[in-house]
Amino acid sequence: MKYIEPHAHMVSRVTDDYVRMTTAGCAAVCEPAFWAGFDRSSPDGFYDYFCQLTEHEPKRAAKFGLKHFSWLCINPKESEDVKLADDVIALIPQFLNRPNVLGIGEIGLNKNSRNELKVLERHVDLAARHNQLILVHTPHLEDKLKGTRLILDVLKSDRRIKPGRVIIDHVEEHTVKLVLDTGMWAGMTLYPETKCTPARAIDILETFGSERLWMNSACDWGVSDPLAVPKTALEMKRRGHLTRAIERVVFQNPRNFLSQCPKFKLTED
Ligand SMILES: [Zn+2]
């Protein structure tokens, strides 16, 4: 089965994961910038991280036959320090022309604080000025609904942003309709324990349809599974979904969204 992994933090994974993903049919992996598990102490730490995402990691993935793309930003968890965020945002434009960069992400909110909102608006402005796609992280648990509403308000109030060029990630049962109704795309994150389990994600697909929806593993340094997408595809098959319908969610949809950036090309294209 052919699929695209649209959200994975490969810098935290071992080479065996690349082998397993390629063996499972992965055609491309996309890596948004995120929190390293600890706070970086200076903009220089982000500069090195952006080099890793745009130079080193694509080469490492290519060794295992996998196309690697990335998204750049300072993540919401480190956005509380607005001065640091401004300094990091100022670094980003010099990386935007790199061949594997698809857009600005994963931006968004973590604790829904005032400073996080300020930094979110600056990222949205950066994306608008440079005509970039946007990938958004939504907060977890009790903060998710409120955070999703705040994020959608910021995006809708900027007239330069076209909804079809934005994907809101980590949606759940109570936020997916809110997102799809705006014309934006929605991503479901498949985690073994928290976020969406495969069964919940398939329930959401069966309830809301698969238009403008994709699935990802968001695998990182924590408890997560880089094969969550193909495993969920198998579960869809077991539940009677047709091959064509499965391929739409795991391959066609991410390809359609990501191809809005002309740099997103698969080996077969
Ligand atoms: Zn992530």
Side-chain angles (χ1 to χ4, degrees):
M1 183 197 314
K2 202 166 46 172
Y3 76 99
I4 290 167
E5 172 54 81
H7 186 150
H9 300 293
M10 299 309 291
V11 302
S12 312
R13 309 298 309 191
V14 296
T15 49
D16 277 359
D17 292 327
Y18 275 124
V19 175
R20 291 160 69 214
M21 291 165 78
T22 312
T23 309
C26 191
V29 60
C30 308
E31 177 152 7
F34 87 138
W35 189 53
F38 60 91
D39 288 348
R40 296 164 180 95
S41 60
S42 74
D44 290 344
F46 284 89
Y47 181 91
D48 290 344
Y49 179 45
F50 296 156
C51 290
Q52 187 180 18
L53 288 178
T54 57
E55 292 167 18
H56 177 71
E57 206 57 37
K59 281 189 208 144
R60 194 164 80 106
K63 280 187 199 155
F64 303 95
L66 201 48
K67 296 272 284 186
H68 178 283
F69 298 91
S70 64
W71 300 75
L72 304 177
C73 74
I74 173 168
N75 63 88
K77 234 183 149 85
E78 286 166 283
S79 294
E80 206 47 63
D81 180 344
V82 180
K83 168 80 175 76
L84 173 70
D86 279 343
D87 290 347
V88 175
I89 289 172
L91 291 173
I92 293 175
Q94 64 189 297
F95 289 93
L96 290 179
N97 285 333
R98 298 232 168 149
N100 79 329
V101 176
L102 299 176
I104 302 300
E106 56 190 299
I107 57 173
L109 297 173
N110 178 48
K111 294 277 176 214
N112 299 336
S113 76
R114 209 175 275 256
N115 283 353
E116 286 174 16
L117 261 173
K118 222 180 266 177
V119 174
L120 170 64
E121 285 168 352
R122 288 177 196 180
H123 276 117
V124 171
D125 175 64
L126 177 74
R129 282 190 285 113
H130 294 271
N131 194 28
Q132 296 290 309
L133 297 174
I134 295 177
L135 188 150
V136 180
H137 164 100
T138 49
H140 305 299
L141 304 172
E142 71 271 19
D143 295 322
K144 186 175 287 292
L145 182 60
K146 187 181 169 213
T148 303
R149 286 206 177 107
L150 288 168
I151 289 164
L152 294 178
D153 285 347
V154 168
L155 289 161
K156 284 191 291 185
S157 68
D158 192 322
R159 287 167 180 238
R160 298 169 296 173
I161 301 298
K162 294 190 184 75
R165 290 173 57 82
V166 179
I167 177 127
I168 309 285
D169 217 331
H170 317 317
V171 299
E172 290 179 9
E173 292 84 347
H174 59 308
T175 57
V176 60
K177 190 167 183 310
L178 203 64
V179 170
L180 293 176
D181 283 350
T182 64
M184 295 178 204
W185 287 64
M188 296 185 288
T189 297
L190 308 161
Y191 264 20
E193 292 155 12
T194 57
K195 301 187 184 163
C196 267
T197 59
R200 273 175 68 196
I202 300 169
D203 289 346
I204 291 174
L205 283 172
E206 288 172 354
T207 311
F208 297 97
S210 61
E211 202 182 329
R212 280 185 283 116
L213 262 178
W214 79 26
M215 301 191 289
N216 57 67
S217 75
C219 58
D220 56 17
W221 36 259
V223 178
S224 48
D225 179 3
L227 292 186
V229 173
K231 283 180 185 169
T232 305
L234 281 178
E235 177 64 12
M236 284 179 79
K237 200 167 192 176
R238 200 187 62 78
R239 278 170 59 161
H241 290 254
L242 299 176
T243 308
R244 205 176 47 222
I246 300 171
E247 216 181 86
R248 185 177 181 201
V249 181
V250 300
F251 183 74
Q252 299 292 353
N253 278 3
R255 180 159 80 166
N256 288 347
F257 178 83
L258 298 165
S259 297
Q260 295 183 89
C261 173
K263 287 187 264 178
F264 185 80
K265 291 253 188 295
L266 300 176
T267 312
E268 65 190 44
D269 286 344

